[in-house]
Amino acid sequence: QTDLVPSGGGSVQAGGSLRLSCAVSGSGSYCMGWFRSGLAVATIYTRGGSTYYNKYYEGRFTVSYDNAKNTLYLEMNNLKPEDTDTYACAADPRGRWDCQDETDLARRPFRYRAQGTLVTVSS
């Protein structure tokens, strides 16, 4: 069982930055990520730090995990109005390779998912 408690988000003007956080408790789910409308934005395999980015966000967003704080982050930079949406953190016990495999991420939903955090970007 893995529990996720998100925080962060809010409103920002285009070009600005936001950071989303997700406190994680439990064990067994080393693949964690951020999703938007069901699509993977970025994932990280917390044992080793391997990451995946949806190419639309690569270079602007950074996913990370703080092992000491058991917290997942999504640093969002150079935000655009089209980034406006609800972002949800999620965790899953899948392995490292599946955690970075775009096909697998689209095919299999994550087992544990928190409620989304709203990000609003104004022009």
Side-chain angles (χ1 to χ4, degrees), residues 11-68:
S11 299
V12 67
Q13 288 192 323
S17 299
L18 284 173
R19 187 175 77 164
L20 305 182
S21 302
C22 187
V24 182
S25 61
S27 63
S29 297
Y30 304 111
C31 177
M32 300 187 185
W34 294 93
F35 291 78
R36 170 190 175 182
S37 299
L39 296 177
V41 172
T43 66
I44 184 167
Y45 195 73
T46 59
R47 284 187 165 183
S50 300
T51 58
Y52 156 84
Y53 290 94
N54 181 303
K55 59 186 176 183
Y56 177 76
Y57 304 100
E58 194 163 20
R60 297 193 297 127
F61 291 9
T62 302
V63 62
S64 62
Y65 186 78
D66 187 324
N67 283 290

Side-chain angles (χ1 to χ4, degrees), residues 59-122:
R60 297 193 297 127
F61 291 9
T62 302
V63 62
S64 62
Y65 186 78
D66 187 324
N67 283 290
K69 296 181 179 180
N70 291 326
T71 302
L72 176 72
Y73 299 99
L74 184 68
E75 191 74 37
M76 312 166 79
N77 297 314
N78 191 21
L79 282 160
K80 305 174 182 180
E82 50 266 39
D83 294 325
T84 295
D85 207 333
T86 298
Y87 292 76
C89 60
D92 191 87
R94 72 187 65 190
R96 178 174 58 185
W97 302 117
D98 287 344
C99 190
Q100 301 167 69
D101 184 279
E102 192 168 77
T103 300
D104 194 75
L105 294 172
R107 182 176 63 87
R108 288 196 294 147
F110 274 33
R111 182 175 297 180
Y112 308 103
R113 183 170 296 204
Q115 283 198 339
T117 299
L118 180 61
V119 171
T120 303
V121 185
S122 58

